[in-house]
Amino acid sequence: MFCVLFYQAKEKFKKELKIEGFLYSDLSVLASDIPYFPPEEEEENLEDGIHLVVCVHGLDGNSADLRLVKTFIELGLPGGKLDFLMSERNQTDTFADFDSMTDRLLDEIIQHIQLYNLSISRISFIGHSLGNVIIRSVLTRPRFRYYLNKLHTFLSLSGPHLGTLYNNSTLVSTGLWLMQKLKKSGSLLQLTFRDNADLRKCFLYQLSQKTGLQYFKNVVLVASPQDRYVPFHSARIEMCKTALKDRHTGPIYAEMINNLLRPLVDAKDCTLIRHNVFHALPNTANTLIGRAAHIAVLDSELFLEKFFLVAGLNYFK
């Protein structure tokens, strides 16, 4: 009965369109016999384990921030044995210090694996903004050491890996300073290297001295020069002209960059990839202050679809 109704409705629709041709449903042979959403894998087919993808939001964010990223990966890799953990443990307090947020994320990951009795073959991380620093901090913890040999891809979306030093936006720098004072934020204090008078004792510098990123097969840094919240050079982990001219802080900054990149260069099985993104943004206040580009990597369907189709999906296969 349903087939008859469908056929009648389809023929009526074709007449209303008044075009020559046929619809996809008219074809006797389908373009692919592989279902778009494959059936659940049988238990015996899961011997190789699953690919756990941990998504971590940024400052003042929540677990839904990376929902489109998750969606496009799932659509692009049907049957990829992927399990997503959309981190939510820190969403109530992203202004805490990085050590506290690291503990929460690590507990969340381990509890997720144990709760669902997951057999893990690979672990990938996707972070946005401040979330990338939390991810790097988790990699250094003794409790995570067991999973280091399972690390696959680290996709960093606008991550302040070198903090917010040498930010070329006075407006943003002032805003972050005010927010840090109002919220008494430990994380913002650490991102601006004001958590210790000795820069080499600051959290981000000491984090750069610890191992972690070189265990990944792919380290993918996505940055946009239109983003004024996170400096372009910080998201790409590279030197900037202002730091080169700074005789006081510049050399320490260079040391931190070397600390981060040298292990990646020396690691035979690790590939570092940088993607520069230029968004087509409207002339709004958010664009002017650089916020629009900062969040476009999360909410721009145009960017996400093109990025994953052209390059991104390869990092999760």
Side-chain angles (χ1 to χ4, degrees):
M1 182 64 182
F2 176 78
C3 293
V4 174
L5 293 174
F6 173 77
Y7 178 78
Q8 292 174 346
K10 184 176 70 172
E11 291 302 312
K12 180 182 178 183
F13 177 67
K14 288 168 66 175
K15 289 179 181 178
E16 291 176 353
L17 285 178
K18 297 180 181 180
I19 60 171
E20 296 183 1
F22 52 86
L23 301 178
Y24 181 73
S25 57
D26 291 332
L27 297 176
S28 58
V29 180
L30 299 179
S32 173
D33 57 359
I34 300 175
Y36 197 72
F37 293 102
E40 293 292 330
E41 297 282 353
E42 298 294 334
E43 289 296 325
E44 59 267 21
N45 293 331
L46 294 177
E47 294 178 358
D48 295 335
I50 65 161
H51 185 175
L52 176 63
V53 181
V54 183
C55 298
V56 186
H57 60 79
L59 185 70
D60 210 21
N62 59 65
S63 59
D65 283 359
L66 284 88
R67 63 192 182 281
L68 283 179
V69 175
K70 172 180 179 288
T71 298
F72 278 107
I73 294 177
E74 286 181 320
L75 289 176
L77 298 174
K81 295 183 180 178
L82 298 170
D83 181 76
F84 284 84
L85 168 57
M86 311 302 287
S87 177
E88 59 181 25
R89 197 64 62 87
N90 283 308
Q91 64 186 12
T92 57
D93 185 17
T94 54
F95 294 98
D97 62 87
F98 280 110
D99 284 325
S100 299
M101 292 190 288
T102 299
D103 290 334
R104 294 174 194 156
L105 177 58
L106 182 55
D107 287 342
E108 188 176 21
I109 294 170
I110 293 176
Q111 289 173 13
H112 179 81
I113 294 173
Q114 294 176 344
L115 178 63
Y116 295 100
N117 194 27
L118 301 179
S119 175
I120 304 295
S121 62
R122 294 186 293 181
I123 299 180
S124 291
F125 285 90
I126 304 175
H128 176 243
S129 191
L130 170 145
N132 291 288
V133 180
I134 305 174
I135 291 170
R136 284 176 45 212
S137 184
V138 164
L139 304 178
T140 67
R141 292 300 176 88
R143 284 197 296 156
F144 193 79
R145 193 172 299 155
Y146 171 78
Y147 300 104
L148 289 178
N149 65 343
K150 300 180 185 296
L151 293 180
H152 185 64
T153 289
F154 175 37
L155 175 56
S156 168
L157 304 173
S158 301
H161 298 286
L162 304 177
T164 57
L165 284 180
Y166 306 116
N167 194 327
N168 59 6
S169 173
T170 305
L171 181 62
V172 171
S173 297
T174 304
L176 291 176
W177 180 82
L178 287 172
M179 190 177 294
Q180 190 276 317
K181 292 295 183 182
L182 291 172
K183 299 283 187 177
K184 294 181 171 55
S185 171
S187 60
L188 290 180
L189 197 70
Q190 291 166 320
L191 283 177
T192 53
F193 288 83
R194 288 186 286 116
D195 51 315
N196 198 296
D198 185 348
L199 292 181
R200 290 187 176 89
K201 292 182 180 179
C202 287
F203 172 81
L204 281 180
Y205 184 91
Q206 294 192 327
L207 181 61
S208 75
Q209 294 178 303
K210 299 176 181 179
T211 60
L213 293 182
Q214 67 269 30
Y215 292 104
F216 287 101
K217 297 291 189 296
N218 309 296
V219 175
V220 186
L221 306 177
V222 177
S224 172
Q226 299 163 293
D227 182 355
R228 296 185 182 179
Y229 274 32
V230 172
F232 187 54
H233 55 88
S234 182
R236 284 172 53 86
I237 313 181
E238 64 181 8
M239 202 64 175
C240 66
K241 292 181 180 179
T242 310
L244 287 172
K245 298 176 183 178
D246 184 353
R247 295 184 179 181
H248 174 66
T249 305
I252 301 175
Y253 204 67
E255 289 174 18
M256 187 165 62
I257 295 171
N258 184 67
N259 291 342
L260 286 168
L261 296 184
R262 178 55 56 188
L264 296 180
V265 174
D266 293 339
K268 295 179 180 179
D269 298 326
C270 180
T271 302
L272 172 64
I273 307 103
R274 291 186 175 106
H275 289 285
N276 298 338
V277 184
F278 298 87
H279 301 281
L281 300 171
N283 293 322
T284 63
N286 275 338
T287 301
L288 181 64
I289 65 175
R291 180 178 181 272
H294 187 64
I295 63 174
V297 292
L298 298 179
D299 63 9
S300 171
E301 292 189 28
L302 177 63
F303 160 70
L304 289 171
E305 181 180 15
K306 288 184 178 296
F307 173 73
F308 282 110
L309 284 177
V310 173
L313 289 176
N314 292 326
Y315 307 131
F316 294 91
K317 289 182 178 178

